[in-house]
C-alpha cells in the first residue's frame, strides 16, 4: 500500500514537472539556436553580431545580400501594438468602469458572455475581418476617400484595429476585477463628501485600482505584441521602417510565420534568424507578463 | 452589490441667484461662482461619461454582430453540403473543408488525449500533495508565465523538438516498426510534419489551461469531505480517486472543453509545425466514420500522416489573390464558428452541471 501511494505521488510529480519541462524546452531551443550553440554548430549571434541585429535598419534575410537588422520588425510590431493599445485600452477601461460602477447585475450577466465569445473568436477570423471589411469599408472610404491618403490593402492600421478588438475583453474583465476589489467604504466616503458618480468612479475608484488596471494593460499589450495570425494576414510582409499606419509593415510574429512556410534547411542563417527573432519576442512578452503579475500580486496583498 | 444602489441620493445644489453686479468679483467669490455653476455643466458631463462607458461596453457586441453579418453575407451562399465533403480545389466553387475538418479532429483529439491525464495529474499534485514549499512556488510561477507565452513560440518549440527532433535524424531519417501483435505501426523519426507533431504542440498549449481549470475544480471541494474519507480509513490516493475526483469531474470537463476550443482555433503553431496549405487527403484516408470499419489500419496511420486544419485552410484562402476565395474563406469561417459554438454550449452545460451537483 505504501509503495503504491509513493508510486502515484511520483507519477503525479512527473505530470506537474511537464509544464516546467515545456519552459525549459522553450528556453533551451531559443538559446541554442540564437545565443550559444553546442559546438560544432554555430548560433545566430555567433555569426551575426548583436549590435548589427539590434541597431540595423534593414531586414533582408531572403535577399542575396543578407541584412539582419531587427529594427524594421520591431517598428512594425510597435506600430501595430501601439494602434491596438491606443484604441483598445481606453475602450476596455471605460467598459470595465461601466460594468463595475454603473451596470445593473443583469446587464453584467449579459455582457460577460458576449465578451467571452469575442475573446474566443479565432485570430485568423479577425485577420479575415481586417482584410475584407476594415480596410475596404472603413479605412479606405474615410482616409483615402475623404482625406486623400493612400491606404495600402495590407496596412498596420487595420491589423491594429482588429488586435484592439481582441484585447478589449482582456482589459475589460481584468480591470473590472481590479475595480470591484476596491472596498465599498471608499466609495461611500466619497459620496458622503458630496461627490457625483463620475467623481467617485474616475477620481476615487480608478486611482485606487490603478495598479490592477496597469497590470491588465501590460498583459493586453503583451498579447498584442505576440499576436500572430491577424497581423500576418492584415499587416503584410514588407519589413519597412515607417510610422505610416496605412503602409504595409511586417511584425516579428508575421516574419516567423512567413519563414516557416519555405521550410528553410535546418542550420542555415535564415533558419537561425527565426530563433533570434523569436527570442526577442519571448523576452519582451515575458518581461511584460512578469511585471504585470508582480503588480497583481501586490494588489492582492493590499486589499486582504 | 453595486455602488449606485447602496449610496444615498446625491445632494442637489439649491438654486442660486447669480450676482449681477458690474463690479468684478473678488478672487474668493470667483471660485465660489465656479463651484455653484458647476452642477449645470456637471449634469451633462455625468451623463456623457456614463454613456461613453456604456457605449464602450456594447462596442464588443456591435463588432460581433458586424462580424457575423459580414461573414454570413460573404459566405452564407457558399456554405453547401458539398463544401463540407469536398477537398480543396484550384476552382473556388469546388473547394471544400473535409481535409481541414478531419485534420482538426485528429489534432484536437490526440492533443486532448495527451494533455488531460498530464494536466489533471499536475493539478492533483499541486492541490492534494504539494500544498506548500518551493517546488509548488516554482511550478506556479512557471504556469503563470507559460500562459502568457505567445502561441507562435510554442510553434517554434514544436518545430524544433517534434518535427526536427533537434536535428538528431537530420541525415538518416528512420522508420521505426512497432509490432502490436495483430498488426504493426510505422513511426517515422523525427516525427516530421505529421498529425502527431501538431497534436503534441497543441497539447503543450492546452496544458496550462487544463491545469488551471482542474486546480480550481479541486479547490472548490471542501476539505471536510476529504477528512471524512480519511476517518473511514481510506488512503490518500483512495480519497482522491473515489471521493475528490468524481466531484471535480464536471469542473474539469468545463476547463478541458474551453482548452479544446482554443486548440481548435489555433493557427500559428500549426503553420510552424508544417501544416500543409493545400492537401487533398484526410489523415489515414478516413473520410467518414464508416471508413474506420472498412479500413481500420487507417487509425494507426493517421497520427503519422500529413495534415491540414480548418484554420489553416481559412488562412490559405484569405491569402489567395482571387476574390472568389474570400467567399470560400467566409464559408469555412462559418463552419469553424459553428464548431466552436458547439464546444461553448457543451462547456456551459458542464458548468451548469458542476454548479447544480455541488451541494455541501
Amino acid at each position: 500500500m505504501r509503495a503504491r501511494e509513493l508510486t502515484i505521488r511520483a507519477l503525479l510529480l512527473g505530470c506537474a514537472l511537464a509544464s516546467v519541462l515545456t519552459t525549459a524546452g522553450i528556453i533551451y531551443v531559443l538559446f541554442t539556436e540564437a545565443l550559444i550553440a553546442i559546438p560544432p554548430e554555430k548560433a545566430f549571434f555567433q555569426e551575426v553580431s548583436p549590435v548589427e541585429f539590434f541597431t540595423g535598419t534593414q531586414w533582408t534575410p531572403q535577399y542575396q545580400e543578407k541584412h539582419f537588422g531587427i529594427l524594421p520588425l520591431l517598428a512594425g510590431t510597435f506600430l501595430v501594438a501601439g494602434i491596438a493599445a491606443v484604441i483598445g485600452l481606453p475602450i476596455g477601461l471605460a467598459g470595465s468602469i461601466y460594468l463595475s460602477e454603473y451596470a445593473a447585475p443583469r446587464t453584467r450577466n449579459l455582457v460577460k458572455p458576449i465578451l467571452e465569445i469575442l475573446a474566443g473568436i479565432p485570430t485568423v477570423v479577425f485577420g479575415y475581418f481586417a482584410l475584407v471589411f476594415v480596410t475596404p469599408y472603413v479605412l479606405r472610404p474615410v482616409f483615402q476617400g475623404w482625406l486623400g491618403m493612400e491606404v495600402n490593402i495590407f496596412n498596420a492600421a487595420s491589423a491594429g484595429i482588429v488586435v484592439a478588438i481582441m484585447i478589449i475583453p482582456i482589459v475589460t474583465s481584468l480591470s473590472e476585477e481590479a475595480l470591484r476589489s476596491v472596498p465599498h467604504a471608499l466609495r461611500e466616503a466619497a459620496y458622503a463628501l458630496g461627490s457625483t458618480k463620475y467623481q467617485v468612479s474616475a477620481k476615487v475608484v480608478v486611482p485606487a485600482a490603478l495598479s490592477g488596471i496597469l497590470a491588465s494593460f501590460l498583459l493586453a499589450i503583451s498579447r498584442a505584441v505576440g499576436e500572430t495570425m491577424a497581423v500576418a494576414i492584415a499587416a503584410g510582409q514588407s519589413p519597412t521602417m515607417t510610422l505610416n499606419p496605412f503602409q504595409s509593415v511586417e511584425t516579428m510574429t508575421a516574419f516567423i510565420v512567413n519563414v516557416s512556410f519555405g521550410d528553410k534547411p535546418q542550420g542555415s542563417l535564415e533558419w537561425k534568424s527565426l530563433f533570434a527573432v523569436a527570442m526577442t519576442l519571448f523576452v519582451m512578452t515575458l518581461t511584460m507578463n512578469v511585471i504585470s503579475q508582480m503588480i497583481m500580486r501586490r494588489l492582492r496583498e493590499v486589499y486582504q | 452589490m453595486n455602488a449606485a444602489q447602496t449610496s444615498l441620493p446625491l445632494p442637489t445644489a439649491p438654486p442660486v441667484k447669480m450676482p449681477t453686479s458690474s463690479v468684478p468679483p473678488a478672487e474668493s467669490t470667483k471660485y465660489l461662482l465656479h463651484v455653484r455653476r458647476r452642477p449645470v455643466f456637471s449634469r451633462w458631463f455625468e451623463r456623457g461619461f456614463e454613456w461613453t462607458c456604456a457605449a464602450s461596453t456594447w462596442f464588443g457586441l456591435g463588432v460581433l454582430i458586424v462580424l457575423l453579418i459580414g461573414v454570413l453575407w460573404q459566405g452564407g451562399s457558399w456554405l453547401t453540403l458539398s463544401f463540407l465533403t469536398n477537398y480543396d480545389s484550384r476552382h473556388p466553387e469546388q473547394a471544400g473543408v473535409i481535409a481541414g475538418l478531419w485534420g482538426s479532429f485528429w489534432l484536437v483529439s490526440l492533443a486532448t488525449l495527451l494533455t488531460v491525464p498530464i494536466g489533471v495529474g499536475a493539478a492533483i499534485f499541486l492541490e492534494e500533495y504539494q500544498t506548500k514549499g518551493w517546488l509548488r512556488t516554482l511550478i506556479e510561477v512557471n504556469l503563470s508565465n507559460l500562459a502568457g507565452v505567445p502561441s507562435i513560440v510554442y510553434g517554434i518549440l514544436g518545430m524544433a523538438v517534434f518535427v526536427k527532433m533537434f536535428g538528431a535524424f537530420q541525415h538518416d531519417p528512420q522508420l521505426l516498426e512497432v509490432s502490436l501483435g495483430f498488426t504493426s505501426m510505422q513511426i517515422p523519426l523525427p516525427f516530421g510534419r505529421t498529425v502527431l507533431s501538431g497534436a503534441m504542440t497543441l497539447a503543450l498549449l492546452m496544458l496550462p489551461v487544463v491545469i488551471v481549470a482542474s486546480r480550481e475544480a479541486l479547490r472548490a471541494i471542501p476539505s471536510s469531505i476529504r477528512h471524512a474519507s480519511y476517518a473511514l480509513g481510506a488512503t490518500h490516493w483512495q480519497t482522491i480517486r473515489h471521493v475528490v475526483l468524481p466531484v471535480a469531474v464536471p469542473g474539469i470537463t468545463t476547463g478541458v472543453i474551453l482548452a479544446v476550443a482554443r486548440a481548435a482555433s489555433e493557427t500559428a503553431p500549426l503553420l510552424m509545425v508544417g501544416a500543409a496549405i493545400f492537401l487533398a487527403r484526410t489523415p489515414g484516408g478516413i473520410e467518414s466514420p464508416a471508413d474506420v470499419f472498412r479500413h481500420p489500419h487507417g487509425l494507426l496511420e493517421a497520427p503519422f500522416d500529413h495534415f491540414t486544419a480548418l484554420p489553416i485552410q481559412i488562412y490559405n484562402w484569405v491569402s489567395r489573390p482571387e476574390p472568389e476565395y474570400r467567399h470560400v474563406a467566409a464559408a469555412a469561417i462559418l463552419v469553424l464558428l459553428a464548431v466552436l459554438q458547439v464546444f461553448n454550449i457543451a462547456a456551459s452545460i458542464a458548468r451548469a452541471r458542476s454548479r447544480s451537483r455541488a451541494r455541501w
Side-chain angles (χ1 to χ4, degrees):
Chain A
M1 217 51 179
R2 181 97 187 115
R4 193 176 152 212
E5 292 285 316
L6 280 176
T7 320
I8 288 168
R9 190 196 151 90
L11 277 177
L12 294 175
L13 171 67
C15 293
L17 287 180
S19 72
V20 181
L21 213 62
T22 311
T23 312
I26 291 173
I27 292 171
Y28 174 81
V29 166
L30 293 183
F31 266 61
T32 51
E33 295 282 354
L35 272 187
I36 305 153
I38 304 158
E41 304 284 328
K42 272 191 159 180
F44 181 79
F45 283 127
Q46 289 168 321
E47 292 186 45
V48 177
S49 84
V51 178
E52 190 203 327
F53 183 71
F54 286 111
T55 59
T57 55
Q58 276 186 308
W59 184 262
T60 55
Q62 68 276 38
Y63 292 173
Q64 201 67 40
E65 194 189 334
K66 293 186 191 308
H67 287 287
F68 294 98
I70 201 178
L71 285 183
L73 297 186
L74 277 179
T77 304
F78 283 125
L79 186 58
V80 172
I83 294 169
V86 166
I87 299 170
L89 300 185
I91 293 181
L93 177 61
S96 69
I97 292 175
Y98 183 77
L99 285 182
S100 122
E101 306 298 316
Y102 288 91
R106 202 193 291 162
T107 318
R108 201 177 307 143
N109 292 340
L110 196 70
V111 170
K112 284 257 164 139
I114 294 172
L115 288 179
E116 266 172 43
I117 294 176
L118 198 63
I121 300 261
T123 61
V124 67
V125 175
F126 279 116
Y128 166 87
F129 188 62
L131 190 65
V132 179
F133 291 98
V134 176
T135 298
Y137 296 112
V138 179
L139 294 180
R140 282 217 163 135
V142 175
F143 291 98
Q144 196 161 304
W146 293 353
L147 301 176
M149 293 154 114
E150 198 184 320
V151 179
N152 195 315
I153 181 74
F154 299 109
N155 59 71
S158 66
I161 289 171
V162 292
V163 174
I165 296 168
M166 276 182 241
I167 63 174
I168 284 173
I170 303 171
V171 177
T172 302
S173 58
L174 288 178
S175 295
E176 195 222 341
E177 238 168 68
L179 291 174
R180 289 231 265 164
S181 71
V182 172
H184 261 277
L186 269 180
R187 293 190 182 88
E188 273 145 26
Y191 281 125
L193 290 173
S195 308
T196 64
K197 195 137 197 195
Y198 158 74
Q199 287 169 327
V200 172
S201 308
K203 299 190 176 164
V204 176
V205 181
V206 168
L210 198 61
S211 55
I213 293 169
L214 285 182
S216 82
F217 280 8
L218 268 177
L219 208 64
I221 294 172
S222 139
R223 198 65 65 86
V225 167
E227 169 44 43
T228 309
M229 289 323 292
V231 174
I233 292 172
Q237 310 175 0
S238 43
T240 41
M241 280 198 67
T242 174
L243 284 176
N244 181 352
F246 302 117
Q247 259 188 27
S248 171
V249 295
E250 185 168 47
T251 64
M252 293 191 283
T253 50
F255 166 74
I256 296 173
V257 162
N258 291 330
V259 161
S260 71
F261 261 120
D263 198 22
K264 298 288 165 307
Q266 188 169 12
S268 69
L269 201 54
E270 207 179 335
W271 155 274
K272 288 178 198 159
S273 74
L274 191 75
F275 293 87
V277 174
M279 199 176 78
T280 316
L281 177 71
F282 178 71
V283 170
M284 274 170 56
T285 53
L286 187 69
T287 314
M288 283 191 266
N289 285 328
V290 167
I291 296 174
S292 158
Q293 278 161 27
M294 273 161 52
I295 297 173
M296 280 191 196
R297 205 167 301 142
R298 190 170 297 168
L299 179 84
R300 225 163 277 151
E301 280 158 14
V302 169
Y303 287 125
Q304 265 173 8
Chain B
M1 228 193 279
N2 199 321
Q5 290 154 348
T6 52
S7 63
L8 297 166
L10 299 177
T12 43
V16 178
K17 271 191 185 157
M18 295 295 165
T20 47
S21 99
S22 57
V23 185
E27 271 313 298
S28 57
T29 345
K30 223 190 213 164
Y31 179 69
L32 268 180
L33 274 178
H34 171 69
V35 168
R36 279 175 185 159
R37 267 206 202 114
R38 190 146 179 199
V40 181
F41 153 78
S42 183
R43 202 171 306 147
W44 285 105
F45 189 77
E46 291 283 325
R47 206 168 289 171
F49 182 73
E50 186 180 344
W51 284 350
T52 311
C53 290
S56 305
T57 310
W58 295 109
F59 177 74
L61 179 66
V63 170
L64 206 59
I65 292 171
V66 170
L67 183 99
L68 288 179
I69 291 178
V71 174
L72 263 176
W73 167 55
Q74 290 273 305
S77 59
W78 288 68
L79 185 59
T80 56
L81 202 60
S82 61
F83 182 73
L84 295 177
T85 55
N86 278 2
Y87 286 103
D88 197 356
S89 165
R90 299 193 195 288
H91 308 285
E93 55 281 355
Q94 287 168 17
V97 289
I98 187 169
L101 272 178
W102 277 102
S104 285
F105 169 79
W106 276 102
L107 286 168
V108 169
S109 314
L110 285 178
T112 309
L113 282 181
L114 288 168
T115 205
V116 167
I118 298 178
V120 175
I124 293 175
F125 183 77
L126 290 175
E127 288 303 313
E128 308 287 329
Y129 285 89
Q130 197 82 42
T131 46
K132 51 180 174 292
W134 63 269
L135 187 61
R136 182 185 158 102
T137 316
L138 171 79
I139 297 171
E140 277 189 329
V141 168
N142 175 57
L143 275 176
S144 49
N145 286 332
L146 271 185
V149 172
S151 62
I152 191 153
V153 174
Y154 283 95
I156 288 194
L157 177 70
M159 179 181 67
V161 177
F162 305 130
V163 179
K164 311 258 179 186
M165 292 198 170
F166 304 109
F169 303 94
Q170 198 178 357
H171 302 297
D172 50 339
Q174 310 265 322
L175 205 61
L176 203 66
E177 188 106 5
V178 179
S179 175
L180 296 172
F182 57 95
T183 179
S184 66
M185 271 169 96
Q186 291 187 322
I187 303 173
L189 288 177
F191 290 150
R193 314 166 130 224
T194 55
V195 171
L196 189 63
S197 298
M200 287 170 107
T201 309
L202 287 184
L204 293 182
L205 254 164
M206 289 166 71
L207 197 58
V209 187
V210 173
I211 295 179
V212 168
S214 307
R215 287 184 70 187
E216 261 164 36
L218 291 173
R219 214 176 299 155
I221 299 167
S223 48
S224 56
I225 60 161
R226 294 189 185 91
H227 294 161
S229 169
Y230 294 141
L232 292 171
T235 63
H236 200 163
W237 174 247
Q238 282 171 334
T239 304
I240 294 168
R241 172 71 191 81
H242 298 287
V243 179
V244 176
L245 262 189
V247 187
V249 161
I252 294 174
T253 313
T254 315
V256 169
I257 297 172
L258 291 178
V260 164
R262 190 184 156 191
S265 49
E266 276 298 347
T267 320
L270 293 179
L271 278 176
M272 298 301 299
V273 296
I277 288 296
F278 190 98
L279 191 68
R281 179 178 164 75
T282 54
I286 298 171
E287 291 180 5
S288 70
D291 282 352
V292 176
F293 301 103
R294 233 174 284 145
H295 173 58
H297 201 255
L299 284 178
L300 292 179
E301 288 166 9
F304 308 105
D305 217 333
H306 289 287
F307 70 100
T308 186
L310 202 46
I312 302 284
Q313 288 200 296
I314 295 171
Y315 172 62
N316 174 33
W317 286 326
V318 171
S319 332
R320 292 269 184 97
E322 302 94 330
E324 292 86 6
Y325 278 109
R326 301 275 156 82
H327 299 289
V328 180
I333 287 172
L334 288 174
V335 176
L336 179 60
L337 291 182
V339 171
L340 294 180
Q341 201 49 43
V342 170
F343 288 133
N344 281 338
I345 292 168
S348 53
I349 291 172
R351 196 180 292 160
R353 278 192 64 187
S354 71
R355 273 194 197 139
S356 66
R357 237 204 233 170
R359 290 269 151 78
W360 309 108

